[in-house]
mmCIF file with all atom_site columns, all heavy atoms in Angstrom:
data_model
loop_
_atom_site.group_PDB
_atom_site.id
_atom_site.type_symbol
_atom_site.label_atom_id
_atom_site.label_alt_id
_atom_site.label_comp_id
_atom_site.label_asym_id
_atom_site.label_entity_id
_atom_site.label_seq_id
_atom_site.pdbx_PDB_ins_code
_atom_site.Cartn_x
_atom_site.Cartn_y
_atom_site.Cartn_z
_atom_site.occupancy
_atom_site.B_iso_or_equiv
_atom_site.pdbx_formal_charge
_atom_site.auth_seq_id
_atom_site.auth_comp_id
_atom_site.auth_asym_id
_atom_site.auth_atom_id
_atom_site.pdbx_PDB_model_num
ATOM 1  N N   . GLN G 1 2  ? 16.820 27.151 44.904 1.00 98.00 ? 2  GLN G N   1
ATOM 2  C CA  . GLN G 1 2  ? 16.195 27.518 43.621 1.00 98.00 ? 2  GLN G CA  1
ATOM 3  C C   . GLN G 1 2  ? 15.455 28.854 43.707 1.00 98.00 ? 2  GLN G C   1
ATOM 4  O O   . GLN G 1 2  ? 14.916 29.165 44.777 1.00 98.00 ? 2  GLN G O   1
ATOM 5  C CB  . GLN G 1 2  ? 15.211 26.424 43.230 1.00 98.00 ? 2  GLN G CB  1
ATOM 6  C CG  . GLN G 1 2  ? 14.625 26.575 41.836 1.00 98.00 ? 2  GLN G CG  1
ATOM 7  C CD  . GLN G 1 2  ? 13.679 25.413 41.433 1.00 98.00 ? 2  GLN G CD  1
ATOM 8  O OE1 . GLN G 1 2  ? 13.257 24.672 42.275 1.00 98.00 ? 2  GLN G OE1 1
ATOM 9  N NE2 . GLN G 1 2  ? 13.404 25.328 40.157 1.00 98.00 ? 2  GLN G NE2 1
ATOM 10 N N   . VAL G 1 3  ? 15.547 29.583 42.651 1.00 98.00 ? 3  VAL G N   1
ATOM 11 C CA  . VAL G 1 3  ? 14.732 30.850 42.524 1.00 98.00 ? 3  VAL G CA  1
ATOM 12 C C   . VAL G 1 3  ? 14.090 30.834 41.145 1.00 98.00 ? 3  VAL G C   1
ATOM 13 O O   . VAL G 1 3  ? 14.717 30.427 40.156 1.00 98.00 ? 3  VAL G O   1
ATOM 14 C CB  . VAL G 1 3  ? 15.609 32.122 42.733 1.00 98.00 ? 3  VAL G CB  1
ATOM 15 C CG1 . VAL G 1 3  ? 16.115 32.200 44.142 1.00 98.00 ? 3  VAL G CG1 1
ATOM 16 C CG2 . VAL G 1 3  ? 16.753 32.181 41.680 1.00 98.00 ? 3  VAL G CG2 1
ATOM 17 N N   . VAL G 1 4  ? 12.824 31.174 41.134 1.00 98.00 ? 4  VAL G N   1
ATOM 18 C CA  . VAL G 1 4  ? 12.013 31.149 39.887 1.00 98.00 ? 4  VAL G CA  1
ATOM 19 C C   . VAL G 1 4  ? 11.326 32.448 39.714 1.00 98.00 ? 4  VAL G C   1
ATOM 20 O O   . VAL G 1 4  ? 10.468 32.824 40.513 1.00 98.00 ? 4  VAL G O   1
ATOM 21 C CB  . VAL G 1 4  ? 11.036 30.014 39.923 1.00 98.00 ? 4  VAL G CB  1
ATOM 22 C CG1 . VAL G 1 4  ? 10.213 30.017 38.629 1.00 98.00 ? 4  VAL G CG1 1
ATOM 23 C CG2 . VAL G 1 4  ? 11.681 28.664 40.107 1.00 98.00 ? 4  VAL G CG2 1
ATOM 24 N N   . GLU G 1 5  ? 11.622 33.167 38.589 1.00 98.00 ? 5  GLU G N   1
ATOM 25 C CA  . GLU G 1 5  ? 11.041 34.431 38.313 1.00 98.00 ? 5  GLU G CA  1
ATOM 26 C C   . GLU G 1 5  ? 9.769  34.230 37.533 1.00 98.00 ? 5  GLU G C   1
ATOM 27 O O   . GLU G 1 5  ? 9.536  33.269 36.820 1.00 98.00 ? 5  GLU G O   1
ATOM 28 C CB  . GLU G 1 5  ? 11.987 35.322 37.459 1.00 98.00 ? 5  GLU G CB  1
ATOM 29 C CG  . GLU G 1 5  ? 13.373 35.528 38.018 1.00 98.00 ? 5  GLU G CG  1
ATOM 30 C CD  . GLU G 1 5  ? 14.351 34.473 37.576 1.00 98.00 ? 5  GLU G CD  1
ATOM 31 O OE1 . GLU G 1 5  ? 13.933 33.372 37.154 1.00 98.00 ? 5  GLU G OE1 1
ATOM 32 O OE2 . GLU G 1 5  ? 15.597 34.775 37.608 1.00 98.00 ? 5  GLU G OE2 1
ATOM 33 N N   . SER G 1 6  ? 8.905  35.296 37.652 1.00 98.00 ? 6  SER G N   1
ATOM 34 C CA  . SER G 1 6  ? 7.669  35.331 36.892 1.00 98.00 ? 6  SER G CA  1
ATOM 35 C C   . SER G 1 6  ? 7.186  36.783 36.752 1.00 98.00 ? 6  SER G C   1
ATOM 36 O O   . SER G 1 6  ? 7.702  37.666 37.425 1.00 98.00 ? 6  SER G O   1
ATOM 37 C CB  . SER G 1 6  ? 6.592  34.499 37.523 1.00 98.00 ? 6  SER G CB  1
ATOM 38 O OG  . SER G 1 6  ? 6.271  35.005 38.815 1.00 98.00 ? 6  SER G OG  1
ATOM 39 N N   . GLY G 1 7  ? 6.201  37.005 35.915 1.00 98.00 ? 7  GLY G N   1
ATOM 40 C CA  . GLY G 1 7  ? 5.643  38.366 35.776 1.00 98.00 ? 7  GLY G CA  1
ATOM 41 C C   . GLY G 1 7  ? 6.063  39.133 34.529 1.00 98.00 ? 7  GLY G C   1
ATOM 42 O O   . GLY G 1 7  ? 5.451  40.205 34.296 1.00 98.00 ? 7  GLY G O   1
ATOM 43 N N   . GLY G 1 8  ? 7.051  38.662 33.825 1.00 98.00 ? 8  GLY G N   1
ATOM 44 C CA  . GLY G 1 8  ? 7.459  39.370 32.623 1.00 98.00 ? 8  GLY G CA  1
ATOM 45 C C   . GLY G 1 8  ? 6.340  39.415 31.557 1.00 98.00 ? 8  GLY G C   1
ATOM 46 O O   . GLY G 1 8  ? 5.556  38.501 31.497 1.00 98.00 ? 8  GLY G O   1
ATOM 47 N N   . ASP G 1 9  ? 6.369  40.491 30.785 1.00 97.00 ? 9  ASP G N   1
ATOM 48 C CA  . ASP G 1 9  ? 5.260  40.683 29.825 1.00 97.00 ? 9  ASP G CA  1
ATOM 49 C C   . ASP G 1 9  ? 5.598  41.726 28.855 1.00 97.00 ? 9  ASP G C   1
ATOM 50 O O   . ASP G 1 9  ? 6.622  42.443 29.005 1.00 97.00 ? 9  ASP G O   1
ATOM 51 C CB  . ASP G 1 9  ? 3.958  40.977 30.562 1.00 97.00 ? 9  ASP G CB  1
ATOM 52 C CG  . ASP G 1 9  ? 2.709  40.604 29.744 1.00 97.00 ? 9  ASP G CG  1
ATOM 53 O OD1 . ASP G 1 9  ? 2.819  40.311 28.547 1.00 97.00 ? 9  ASP G OD1 1
ATOM 54 O OD2 . ASP G 1 9  ? 1.635  40.650 30.341 1.00 97.00 ? 9  ASP G OD2 1
ATOM 55 N N   . LEU G 1 10 ? 4.755  41.929 27.826 1.00 98.00 ? 10 LEU G N   1
ATOM 56 C CA  . LEU G 1 10 ? 4.840  43.064 26.906 1.00 98.00 ? 10 LEU G CA  1
ATOM 57 C C   . LEU G 1 10 ? 4.061  44.186 27.528 1.00 98.00 ? 10 LEU G C   1
ATOM 58 O O   . LEU G 1 10 ? 2.866  44.036 27.871 1.00 98.00 ? 10 LEU G O   1
ATOM 59 C CB  . LEU G 1 10 ? 4.288  42.641 25.578 1.00 98.00 ? 10 LEU G CB  1
ATOM 60 C CG  . LEU G 1 10 ? 4.084  43.797 24.497 1.00 98.00 ? 10 LEU G CG  1
ATOM 61 C CD1 . LEU G 1 10 ? 5.418  44.412 24.151 1.00 98.00 ? 10 LEU G CD1 1
ATOM 62 C CD2 . LEU G 1 10 ? 3.346  43.279 23.258 1.00 98.00 ? 10 LEU G CD2 1
ATOM 63 N N   . VAL G 1 11 ? 4.696  45.362 27.641 1.00 98.00 ? 11 VAL G N   1
ATOM 64 C CA  . VAL G 1 11 ? 4.034  46.498 28.244 1.00 98.00 ? 11 VAL G CA  1
ATOM 65 C C   . VAL G 1 11 ? 4.304  47.739 27.418 1.00 98.00 ? 11 VAL G C   1
ATOM 66 O O   . VAL G 1 11 ? 5.393  47.820 26.780 1.00 98.00 ? 11 VAL G O   1
ATOM 67 C CB  . VAL G 1 11 ? 4.464  46.729 29.686 1.00 98.00 ? 11 VAL G CB  1
ATOM 68 C CG1 . VAL G 1 11 ? 6.017  46.898 29.778 1.00 98.00 ? 11 VAL G CG1 1
ATOM 69 C CG2 . VAL G 1 11 ? 3.760  47.807 30.417 1.00 98.00 ? 11 VAL G CG2 1
ATOM 70 N N   . GLN G 1 12 ? 3.400  48.672 27.412 1.00 98.00 ? 12 GLN G N   1
ATOM 71 C CA  . GLN G 1 12 ? 3.531  49.871 26.607 1.00 98.00 ? 12 GLN G CA  1
ATOM 72 C C   . GLN G 1 12 ? 4.470  50.842 27.317 1.00 98.00 ? 12 GLN G C   1
ATOM 73 O O   . GLN G 1 12 ? 4.558  50.818 28.566 1.00 98.00 ? 12 GLN G O   1
ATOM 74 C CB  . GLN G 1 12 ? 2.153  50.532 26.351 1.00 98.00 ? 12 GLN G CB  1
ATOM 75 C CG  . GLN G 1 12 ? 1.271  49.765 25.412 1.00 98.00 ? 12 GLN G CG  1
ATOM 76 C CD  . GLN G 1 12 ? 0.056  50.544 24.993 1.00 98.00 ? 12 GLN G CD  1
ATOM 77 O OE1 . GLN G 1 12 ? -0.327 51.485 25.666 1.00 98.00 ? 12 GLN G OE1 1
ATOM 78 N NE2 . GLN G 1 12 ? -0.541 50.153 23.866 1.00 98.00 ? 12 GLN G NE2 1
ATOM 79 N N   . PRO G 1 13 ? 5.124  51.717 26.576 1.00 98.00 ? 13 PRO G N   1
ATOM 80 C CA  . PRO G 1 13 ? 5.960  52.724 27.206 1.00 98.00 ? 13 PRO G CA  1
ATOM 81 C C   . PRO G 1 13 ? 5.164  53.573 28.188 1.00 98.00 ? 13 PRO G C   1
ATOM 82 O O   . PRO G 1 13 ? 3.999  53.954 27.890 1.00 98.00 ? 13 PRO G O   1
ATOM 83 C CB  . PRO G 1 13 ? 6.445  53.584 26.002 1.00 98.00 ? 13 PRO G CB  1
ATOM 84 C CG  . PRO G 1 13 ? 6.396  52.636 24.868 1.00 98.00 ? 13 PRO G CG  1
ATOM 85 C CD  . PRO G 1 13 ? 5.239  51.770 25.103 1.00 98.00 ? 13 PRO G CD  1
ATOM 86 N N   . GLY G 1 14 ? 5.769  53.824 29.328 1.00 98.00 ? 14 GLY G N   1
ATOM 87 C CA  . GLY G 1 14 ? 5.061  54.537 30.373 1.00 98.00 ? 14 GLY G CA  1
ATOM 88 C C   . GLY G 1 14 ? 4.275  53.635 31.360 1.00 98.00 ? 14 GLY G C   1
ATOM 89 O O   . GLY G 1 14 ? 3.794  54.109 32.400 1.00 98.00 ? 14 GLY G O   1
ATOM 90 N N   . GLY G 1 15 ? 4.186  52.379 30.990 1.00 98.00 ? 15 GLY G N   1
ATOM 91 C CA  . GLY G 1 15 ? 3.436  51.435 31.781 1.00 98.00 ? 15 GLY G CA  1
ATOM 92 C C   . GLY G 1 15 ? 4.167  50.907 32.998 1.00 98.00 ? 15 GLY G C   1
ATOM 93 O O   . GLY G 1 15 ? 5.313  51.282 33.269 1.00 98.00 ? 15 GLY G O   1
#
Side-chain angles (χ1 to χ4, degrees):
Chain G
Q2 187 177 17
V3 294
V4 179
E5 306 91 338
S6 62
D9 204 348
L10 171 63
V11 61
Q12 292 191 340

